[in-house]
Amino acid sequence: MNNWLLVCVLLITMGFAYQFGLARSKSVAAGGPGRMHSRPGYYGLLVALWCGVPALAVFMLWSAFEPNIIRASVMEYLPAEVVSADGSQLNVALRRIENIASGFGVSDQPAEYELRAAERMSAVQQTGRLSMYGLMAVLGVAGLVLTLRRITPNLRARNQVESVVKALLVACSAIAVFTTVGIVLSMIGEATKFFSFVSPLDFFFGTVWNPRFSTVGTGDQGQFGLIPLLWGTIMVSIVAMLIAVPVGLMTAIYMAEYAPGWLRSMAKPVIEVLAGIPTIVYGFFALVTVGPFFHGLGQMIGIDIRATSALTAGVVMGIMIIPFVSSLSDDIITQVPKAMRDGSLGLGATKSETIRNVVLPAALPGIVGAFLLAASRAIGETMIVVLAAGNSPVLHANPFEAVSTVTVTIVNQLTGDTDFASPQSLVAFALGLTLFVITLGLNVVALYIVRKYREQYE
Amino acid sequence: MENNLQRSLAAAEGTVGVSAAAKIKMTARDARVFYGEKEALHGVNLDIRENEVLAFIGPSGCGKSTFLRCLNRMNDTIDGCRVTGKIELDGEDIYDRSLDVVLLRARVGMVFQKPNPFPKSIYDNIAYGPKLHGLASTRAELDEVVERSLIRAGLWDEVKDRLDQPGTGLSGGQQQRLCIARAVAVSPEVILMDEPCSALDPIATAKVEQLITELAENFTIVIVTHNMQQAARVSNRTAFFHLGDLVEVDDTTHIFTSPKDKRTEDYITGRFG
Ligand SMILES: Nc1ncnc2c1ncn2[C@@H]1O[C@H](COP(=O)(O)OP(=O)(O)OP(=O)(O)O)[C@@H](O)[C@H]1O
Ligand SMILES: [Mg+2]
């Protein structure tokens, strides 16, 4: 029986269980003394849950452990030299056996031991599945019967269903949290491996980035200095913020204070579309249009501007994060109470005086928070800089020259033919971790500021 | 339109209550206010005398705040709000195109129901208006304006040692007096107050009321209040509004002792509202 079919059967059974519970609670209510604690639906739900959930748990546990159990069961049939062979060879052997067992077959003539192992494997599989079905059926029926018998006016079905719902929600949020924690832990693990090759001091304070190519085993590993990359990231982000902050802020002020309702309701979504354009599109827009434009401009006024430079990448990235700045600041400006504006207008201030002297100062913490969020977005941005920043990890202060950033370098170190045990690729994890810590820090500070500001007016 | 105006002018004779002796500061003739399509104020005719304290009373939603906001055009800041009719300040139509609303609001100041100090220092709160209108050219002059306004608002002794602290850190009553000082600082001719004591405790209220009486020597004051004792205590004349109409305006003692209109009598004796 196919797994999907199994789940469907289970769900249908739960549907019936629900009906039984419903009917049972009604008959209890009709016959017994006193009022039922919960409405009939809750008893139905409770019966359905007790009938289905334990069975489902068994199914999931079995699915998780089945491969291991089966593999363990055929080990004794394998010749000693295969068992003692290294991981990948053993895997190949097991895979062949699995293929034979499932009737899929192998290309060459299977060996004698393989056939026997395969036979054993399908037998184990068979019994395993059958006993799982049996167990599921027993659990389902037991849950059904026991819960049906528990239905009395005093059974607090509503509260019990409530706790099941809560458990479900907790489980779902736990998935997100554990994924994050898992990612961070694995990054830390890999980064630690990297630091066993290169000292953290050389990494964090090194001013030369020159990782060479994969040179496992030789003493020469190249230089892994973070500073040029970090500086590139900072330079591109600064250019981006120089574009996004004034434009975004003024857009926000216009939208929040001046724009008539109909324009606001039309323009806001359009601006937000800017944030929805895939970054790769921005990337080749930078590469094909903006870069050559700056290059030409530079020639006209006699400055040497490279087509792919910190300037190009920064400007395009700035355009990309305008909506972050504008829509967050807009929300924050709109939140400044009307009483504050009225107070100023009532004293004979003009609208722009009011905005400059009262609204913006009042909204400032929140707006700074918006800037920080936009900055963390800029720092983590990859695609635009990969295409438009020129990829030259050299430490210099000229925004018209090519630079490389932390994100670009991560891409470079992980793409192509790499050995994942070499410092050349492991450095990507150290870089990723650094980036993560920086953006996390910015986000935490930004959220703290925004929250603090919100409290002010509640 | 013309006819309408004429008719309501004729009808106004009774309610306007002009006394020959007092100088008229502001007049309203057939003032109507629309929120969208809905007419919230149905043609108000009223004269406001110089240096008087005029109280607006009436049940909630009858249009007191709405009319008050007409007097310094704060209704302009509300989307979909439209004002018709004629409102004059010293004989000048304040809804005239050539009139600068910013200057109007400097002449007709406003204090709001909830104290709304700016999130700035006490000093900057007071100095805000004078700076905008260039009322002080040097720091010393500005200091003087600030001090004088705070003294007038009876707040100076309480805050003189902490002028650089945020105005939002004061108590509610102090904040409201700060807002009054802020309004006074631009030397307006008329001060509009919309329920200035509704967020204050009795002691702070008493202080503000005393302040209003003192300010009346120099300013014309229009105050909205739900508290009839307050109206009786502070005002020279009282206007009673009901469902968007100005029902009756007269000397405060008359209104509270011998109202002409049945509705006024019902309201002040607490039969509705
Ligand atoms: N911004 C607005 N938009 C639409 N209608 C409004 C607005 N402000 C007031 N109104 C309506 O105008 C009428 C008069 O309101 P106003 O605020 O002037 O009453 P009020 O006498 O000040 O009442 P209160 O004593 O409760 O403050 C009410 O019916 C109210 O619903
Ligand atoms: Mg009101």
Side-chain angles (χ1 to χ4, degrees):
Chain A
M1 204 172 5
N2 168 316
N3 285 350
W4 281 118
L5 197 62
L6 189 65
V7 171
C8 287
V9 168
L10 202 60
L11 286 178
I12 292 169
T13 317
M14 284 172 78
F16 279 113
Y18 176 83
Q19 292 300 333
F20 288 146
L22 208 64
R24 167 84 184 152
S25 82
K26 279 179 181 158
S27 71
V28 168
R35 231 176 119 259
M36 297 296 280
H37 173 270
S38 314
R39 298 207 319 281
Y42 281 109
Y43 292 100
L45 214 53
L46 192 67
V47 175
L49 286 171
W50 272 110
C51 168
V53 172
L56 200 64
V58 165
F59 171 63
M60 289 200 318
L61 280 178
W62 174 253
S63 306
F65 291 112
E66 185 190 30
N68 286 339
I69 295 173
I70 288 181
R71 287 192 166 196
S73 71
V74 297
M75 276 308 187
E76 53 180 294
Y77 290 82
L78 298 184
E81 75 269 16
V82 178
V83 177
S84 60
D86 72 357
S88 61
Q89 219 176 325
L90 182 62
N91 263 339
V92 170
L94 285 169
R95 182 123 306 230
R96 280 171 61 89
I97 295 169
E98 268 166 27
N99 284 345
I100 300 166
S102 65
F104 192 74
V106 287
S107 54
D108 55 354
Q109 189 60 41
E112 174 67 13
Y113 78 88
E114 283 178 329
L115 285 175
R116 276 192 296 128
E119 210 170 294
R120 162 82 177 158
M121 184 181 260
S122 34
V124 172
Q125 237 163 12
Q126 280 280 335
T127 41
R129 291 233 109 191
L130 280 180
S131 47
M132 178 187 71
Y133 295 150
L135 192 56
M136 282 172 72
V138 168
L139 279 176
V141 171
L144 178 72
V145 172
L146 288 178
T147 321
L148 277 179
R149 291 186 52 179
R150 271 171 60 213
I151 293 180
T152 59
N154 288 332
L155 178 64
R156 305 188 165 189
R158 197 174 166 200
N159 308 24
Q160 293 192 5
V161 169
E162 186 66 31
S163 39
V164 172
V165 168
K166 193 171 136 200
L168 194 72
L169 297 181
V170 168
C172 287
S173 24
I175 290 177
V177 172
F178 285 130
T179 315
T180 316
V181 171
I183 291 176
V184 173
L185 285 183
S186 84
M187 275 208 298
I188 290 178
E190 299 293 316
T192 323
K193 274 191 216 156
F194 169 72
F195 287 127
S196 68
F197 288 101
V198 178
S199 95
L201 228 58
D202 290 345
F203 175 68
F204 287 112
F205 300 104
T207 53
V208 177
W209 177 263
N210 181 16
R212 312 278 163 90
F213 290 103
S214 223
T215 50
V216 197
T218 75
D220 184 12
Q221 291 168 333
Q223 285 169 285
F224 298 90
L226 174 69
I227 301 288
L229 308 178
L230 205 57
W231 173 243
T233 295
I234 291 173
M235 196 146 70
V236 173
S237 303
I238 287 176
V239 175
M241 294 304 281
L242 283 179
I243 300 283
V245 163
V247 176
L249 188 56
M250 287 192 216
T251 309
I253 291 174
Y254 177 73
M255 286 295 156
E257 299 284 333
Y258 289 96
W262 60 270
L263 183 66
R264 187 182 151 89
S265 62
M266 271 182 16
K268 249 196 118 163
V270 173
I271 294 173
E272 271 152 26
V273 162
L274 274 183
I277 296 175
T279 53
I280 184 79
V281 175
Y282 278 109
F284 65 69
F285 171 62
L287 191 64
V288 176
T289 315
V290 181
F293 169 75
F294 280 135
H295 184 61
L297 197 72
Q299 276 178 336
M300 247 168 55
I301 55 176
I303 311 176
D304 188 21
I305 303 181
R306 299 212 8 177
T308 52
S309 62
L311 180 71
T312 310
V315 166
V316 174
M317 198 193 284
I319 294 170
M320 184 194 77
I321 57 178
I322 283 174
F324 286 85
V325 176
S326 77
S327 110
L328 281 171
S329 315
D330 182 349
D331 291 345
I332 286 157
I333 290 174
T334 339
Q335 269 183 17
V336 174
K338 185 172 184 322
M340 211 67 86
R341 291 187 179 86
D342 284 349
S344 171
L345 293 172
L347 286 169
T350 63
K351 202 154 183 173
S352 74
E353 283 165 350
T354 301
I355 293 167
R356 249 184 303 130
N357 295 324
V358 176
V359 177
L360 285 186
L364 195 66
I367 292 176
V368 170
F371 291 168
L372 290 182
L373 284 180
S376 84
R377 180 69 212 253
I379 288 170
E381 171 50 38
T382 310
M383 234 42 238
I384 295 175
V385 269
V386 164
L387 288 175
N391 189 18
S392 139
V394 181
L395 193 59
H396 59 66
N398 183 356
F400 304 140
E401 279 292 326
V403 293
S404 185
T405 67
V406 177
T407 50
V408 171
T409 312
I410 294 178
V411 173
N412 286 343
Q413 297 307 113
L414 287 184
T415 47
D417 199 6
T418 51
D419 172 0
F420 269 85
S422 70
Q424 278 75 9
S425 10
L426 285 177
V427 69
F429 292 97
L431 289 171
L433 199 61
T434 314
L435 207 58
F436 172 76
V437 170
I438 293 174
T439 48
L440 182 73
L442 276 177
N443 279 315
V444 167
V445 173
L447 287 178
Y448 173 77
I449 291 176
V450 170
R451 185 163 313 149
K452 193 156 175 188
Y453 162 77
R454 291 246 157 90
E455 280 165 5
Q456 208 174 320
Y457 292 120
E458 263 156 20
Chain B
M1 188 67 222
E2 190 61 23
N3 249 344
N4 226 342
L5 187 62
Q6 225 97 68
R7 219 178 321 122
S8 44
L9 279 184
E13 292 298 274
T15 52
V16 171
V18 190
S19 125
K23 192 164 169 281
I24 302 301
K25 190 69 190 170
M26 296 189 82
T27 59
R29 287 295 173 271
D30 195 36
R32 288 166 195 273
V33 180
F34 300 84
Y35 291 112
E37 288 304 301
K38 203 185 108 218
E39 190 179 275
L41 206 60
H42 318 298
V44 169
N45 298 292
L46 182 67
D47 288 340
I48 301 167
R49 300 174 191 165
E50 189 143 29
N51 289 6
E52 77 169 337
V53 178
L54 174 62
F56 289 175
I57 60 170
S60 193
C62 65
K64 305 179 295 292
S65 303
T66 300
F67 181 64
L68 198 71
R69 284 197 302 263
C70 290
L71 299 176
N72 70 344
R73 291 185 56 178
M74 279 305 280
N75 278 333
D76 293 10
T77 66
I78 298 175
D79 281 341
C81 180
R82 197 158 52 83
V83 179
T84 66
K86 202 177 185 83
I87 297 177
E88 291 180 347
L89 172 64
D90 287 338
E92 251 183 291
D93 185 354
I94 64 169
Y95 281 86
D96 193 80
R97 277 178 170 278
S98 63
L99 181 123
D100 183 356
V101 63
V102 170
L103 294 183
L104 169 72
R105 288 188 191 139
R107 292 174 64 190
V108 184
M110 190 154 196
V111 175
F112 298 84
Q113 178 167 358
K114 248 181 74 189
N116 57 350
F118 302 132
K120 297 172 181 288
S121 71
I122 294 173
Y123 184 95
D124 287 338
N125 261 283
I126 310 288
Y128 183 79
K131 272 190 200 157
L132 284 178
H133 300 292
L135 298 185
S137 46
T138 63
R139 176 75 194 198
E141 272 177 47
L142 196 60
D143 287 348
E144 201 195 310
V145 171
V146 170
E147 179 173 349
R148 203 174 49 225
S149 311
L150 283 170
I151 289 174
R152 271 189 164 161
L155 198 59
W156 175 250
D157 289 332
E158 285 158 71
V159 301
K160 62 172 183 257
D161 302 324
R162 45 170 176 160
L163 291 177
D164 54 346
Q165 285 175 21
T168 42
L170 295 173
S171 77
Q174 289 172 327
Q175 287 188 16
Q176 192 62 299
R177 280 181 286 148
L178 181 70
C179 292
I180 295 176
R182 189 173 73 182
V184 168
V186 285
S187 310
E189 297 155 36
V190 182
I191 301 178
L192 310 173
M193 300 187 179
D194 194 348
E195 301 183 37
C197 301
S198 66
L200 306 186
D201 70 275
I203 292 173
T205 301
K207 280 192 180 157
V208 172
E209 284 177 6
Q210 156 132 42
L211 173 60
I212 292 170
T213 316
E214 286 164 17
L215 290 176
E217 287 170 24
N218 301 302
F219 305 94
T220 304
I221 293 175
V222 183
I223 174 174
V224 174
T225 176
H226 273 280
N227 180 335
M228 276 176 276
Q229 283 80 35
Q230 182 170 70
R233 281 193 299 263
V234 300
S235 68
N236 310 112
R237 292 197 307 152
T238 298
F240 173 65
F241 287 77
H242 183 58
L243 297 178
D245 285 307
L246 171 60
V247 174
E248 163 164 21
V249 54
D250 208 338
D251 286 346
T252 300
T253 42
H254 282 170
I255 290 277
F256 284 108
T257 52
S258 49
K260 293 193 194 72
D261 198 287
K262 179 85 171 56
R263 288 169 292 179
T264 319
E265 190 181 336
D266 285 349
Y267 182 70
I268 60 175
T269 53
R271 232 158 285 166
F272 67 83

